[in-house]
């Protein structure tokens, strides 16, 4: 999902020490508690999920376009190859527009996923793609263009101006409190790629507060915010020090990814890669997934079913004609459930059965 590649030369940045938000850790999990939690689960594998009929989080969750039939069918594809976890983005504007209805739809989604024996990672805030989310009818996809309608949450400059917003605090705490003891939720991913779109430390106040707001609720599930850009030293330091489990994104080749794993292991906490797999960037199931399995690292690739997000197209390489790219960037299945590559789904199923 990232728009830029990781800068590995700066990968040591997040090991710095910071006093910021030290009072946030009253309810932070110990390493022992985090490891015990991780040991209770089978190897965590799955995908970032949005139904193929939704262009973004708002279209997924608004009442007029919520599509449980497609969700059920496509989660069935995932379950069929042994995936047990989906990472799913929420959106504060969908909550603001219809609080009770939004929570009802979240409950419905969790029931559908649970019927497929799939747990859910919910993502709260997001700094990626369009900075101006609006409630209501969403625009049509731009032909051949990756994530042409994906929306940041809360957007920009909202992520700055609303960092201390009682409205955002109420949203975060209501959602987490409602589902704080729900074992269908694996963990809370509090902020996707904070600092993206050039924001860098502008996102730190909201990142700090979302951890604070979540810690006040103290859910039974762990909290995390994934490392993703090794040049963002202050953000990486905060994310690594305040997360119960270490989550991260890596769209590089296997050799580069392996180096990241070795660095992150020094935190001595369970690890889950919450985004990977970009074929034309040489991040592939065939090279990455066995490595994650061998290291007992959770593996959540980007994309399940080719749909309105257009993530079969590469980040910065649109195809104006809309014809299918020679090689898909993300995603596993076509809309009818046919695998893009049979050898990939065979490998995924084999590893899921083995681990």
């Amino acid at each position: 999902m990232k728009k830029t590649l990781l800068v590995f030369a700066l990968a040591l940045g997040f090991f710095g020490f910071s006093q910021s938000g030290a009072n946030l850790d009253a309810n932070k999990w110990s390493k022992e508690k985090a490891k015990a939690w991780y040991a209770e689960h089978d190897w965590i594998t799955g995908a970032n999920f949005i139904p193929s009929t939704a262009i973004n989080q708002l279209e997924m969750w608004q009442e007029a376009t919520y599509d449980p039939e497609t969700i059920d069918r496509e989660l069935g594809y995932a379950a069929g190859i042994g995936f047990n976890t989906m990472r799913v983005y929420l959106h504060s504007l969908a909550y603001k527009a219809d609080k009770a209805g939004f929570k009802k739809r979240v409950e419905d989604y969790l029931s559908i996923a649970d019927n497929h024996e799939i747990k859910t990672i919910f993502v709260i805030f997001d700094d990626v793609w369009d900075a101006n989310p609006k409630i209501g009818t969403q625009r049509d996809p731009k032909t051949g263009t990756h994530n042409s309608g994906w929306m940041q949450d809360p957007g920009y400059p909202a992520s700055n101006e609303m960092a201390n917003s009682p409205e955002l605090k109420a949203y975060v705490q209501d959602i987490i409190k409602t589902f704080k003891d729900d074992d269908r939720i694996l963990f809370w991913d509090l902020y996707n790629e904070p600092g993206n779109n050039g924001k860098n430390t502008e996102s730190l106040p909201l990142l700090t507060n979302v951890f604070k707001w979540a810690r006040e609720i103290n859910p039974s599930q762990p909290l995390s915010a994934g490392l993703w850009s090794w040049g963002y030293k202050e953000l990486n330091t905060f994310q690594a020090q305040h997360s119960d489990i270490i989550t991260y994104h890596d769209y590089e080749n296997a050799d580069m990814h392996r180096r990241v794993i070795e660095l992150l292991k020094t935190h001595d906490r369970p690890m889950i890669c919450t985004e990977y797999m970009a074929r034309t960037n040489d991040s592939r199931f065939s090279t990455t997934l066995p490595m994650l399995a061998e290291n007992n690292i959770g593996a959540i690739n980007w994309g399940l079913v080719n749909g309105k997000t257009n993530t079969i197209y590469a980040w910065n390489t649109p195809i104006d004609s809309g014809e299918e790219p020679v090689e898909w960037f993300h995603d596993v299945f076509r809309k009818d459930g046919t695998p893009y590559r049979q050898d990939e789904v065979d490998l995924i199923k084999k590893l899921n059965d083995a681990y």
Side-chain angles (χ1 to χ4, degrees):
M1 180 159 186
K2 295 177 307 178
K3 297 165 75 172
T4 58
L5 303 183
L6 302 180
V7 184
F8 187 78
L10 297 173
L12 293 174
F14 62 84
F15 286 98
F17 180 76
S18 171
Q19 290 284 357
S20 66
N23 63 335
L24 302 181
D25 288 339
N27 293 318
K28 182 184 174 183
W29 288 18
S30 66
K31 292 180 180 179
E32 292 73 22
K33 182 176 180 179
K35 291 176 182 178
W37 168 85
Y38 197 69
E40 292 174 355
H41 299 281
D42 294 334
W43 181 46
I44 295 164
T45 60
N48 285 265
F49 176 72
I50 185 168
S52 61
T53 50
I55 192 172
N56 60 27
Q57 317 93 304
L58 289 167
E59 196 160 52
M60 177 175 180
W61 291 113
Q62 291 179 141
E63 181 179 13
T65 46
Y66 179 66
D67 187 355
E69 291 80 11
T70 297
I71 290 170
D72 184 38
R73 181 175 61 254
E74 293 180 352
L75 291 184
Y77 303 162
I81 58 173
F83 277 163
N84 57 31
T85 305
M86 293 288 121
R87 182 172 179 253
V88 178
Y89 287 69
L90 303 176
H91 205 288
S92 60
L93 289 185
Y95 169 85
K96 180 181 179 181
D98 178 14
K99 296 176 184 179
F102 178 80
K103 290 196 291 182
K104 182 179 179 181
R105 289 185 286 279
V106 170
E107 168 62 36
D108 184 67
Y109 171 86
L110 287 170
S111 295
I112 295 170
D114 189 55
N115 286 339
H116 291 287
E117 299 184 337
I118 289 173
K119 293 192 179 293
T120 300
I121 302 162
F122 277 134
V123 182
I124 303 293
F125 294 134
D126 184 8
D127 270 353
V128 183
W129 302 109
D130 196 312
N132 299 288
K134 292 180 176 62
I135 206 71
T137 302
Q138 302 300 296
R139 62 175 176 254
D140 292 332
K142 185 175 179 180
T143 301
T145 301
H146 180 108
N147 260 330
S148 62
W150 195 271
M151 297 293 165
Q152 295 181 34
D153 185 8
Y156 189 81
S159 55
N160 262 356
E161 298 171 347
M162 299 181 69
N164 297 300
S165 164
E167 181 180 339
L168 286 184
K169 178 180 179 180
Y171 160 62
V172 171
Q173 295 196 328
D174 186 18
I175 292 299
I176 294 179
K177 185 176 181 180
T178 300
F179 299 101
K180 68 186 294 289
D181 295 314
D182 195 323
D183 64 6
R184 297 171 298 180
I185 296 175
L186 187 66
F187 71 88
W188 298 96
D189 192 341
L190 297 179
Y191 205 141
N192 179 66
E193 299 193 357
N196 206 330
N197 281 285
K199 297 179 187 179
N200 202 331
T201 53
E202 287 186 77
S203 297
L204 188 56
L206 182 58
L207 176 66
T208 301
N209 277 337
V210 72
F211 269 94
K212 179 181 177 181
W213 299 335
R215 290 287 179 211
E216 288 175 358
I217 300 301
N218 193 24
S220 61
Q221 310 97 339
L223 307 178
S224 190
L227 302 159
W228 70 278
S229 180
W230 310 120
Y232 285 0
K233 179 176 180 179
E234 191 170 356
L235 287 169
N236 289 334
T237 298
F238 184 91
Q239 289 165 247
Q241 290 184 350
H242 295 284
S243 292
D244 297 320
I245 58 174
I246 297 298
T247 59
Y248 71 99
H249 299 173
D250 196 295
Y251 288 108
E252 299 285 5
N253 63 46
D255 288 340
M256 294 294 285
H257 195 154
R258 188 175 294 108
R259 296 179 193 179
V260 170
I261 289 171
E262 293 307 312
L263 285 167
L264 293 178
K265 279 182 177 179
T266 64
H267 289 286
D268 194 28
R269 287 181 177 269
M271 291 166 53
I272 301 174
C273 180
T274 50
E275 290 188 24
Y276 77 99
M277 209 287 290
R279 294 179 185 89
T280 58
N281 202 44
D282 203 22
S283 173
R284 303 175 182 277
F285 285 119
S286 60
T287 53
T288 305
L289 195 58
M291 176 177 63
L292 295 175
E294 290 163 8
N295 284 276
N296 193 27
I297 295 170
I300 312 296
N301 69 274
W302 189 269
L304 185 68
V305 179
N306 173 29
K308 291 177 75 173
T309 58
N310 275 345
T311 52
I312 65 171
Y313 302 97
W315 294 315
N316 299 310
T317 313
I319 298 178
D320 293 338
S321 68
E323 63 185 323
E324 186 171 304
V326 173
E327 185 172 34
W328 283 17
F329 194 62
H330 297 318
D331 298 327
V332 181
F333 293 101
R334 301 181 186 276
K335 290 180 183 180
D336 65 359
T338 303
Y340 164 61
R341 288 184 54 165
Q342 187 64 45
D343 62 322
E344 289 182 341
V345 298
D346 289 346
L347 173 64
I348 292 166
K349 192 173 189 307
K350 179 181 178 180
L351 290 172
N352 285 336
D353 289 345
Y355 287 89

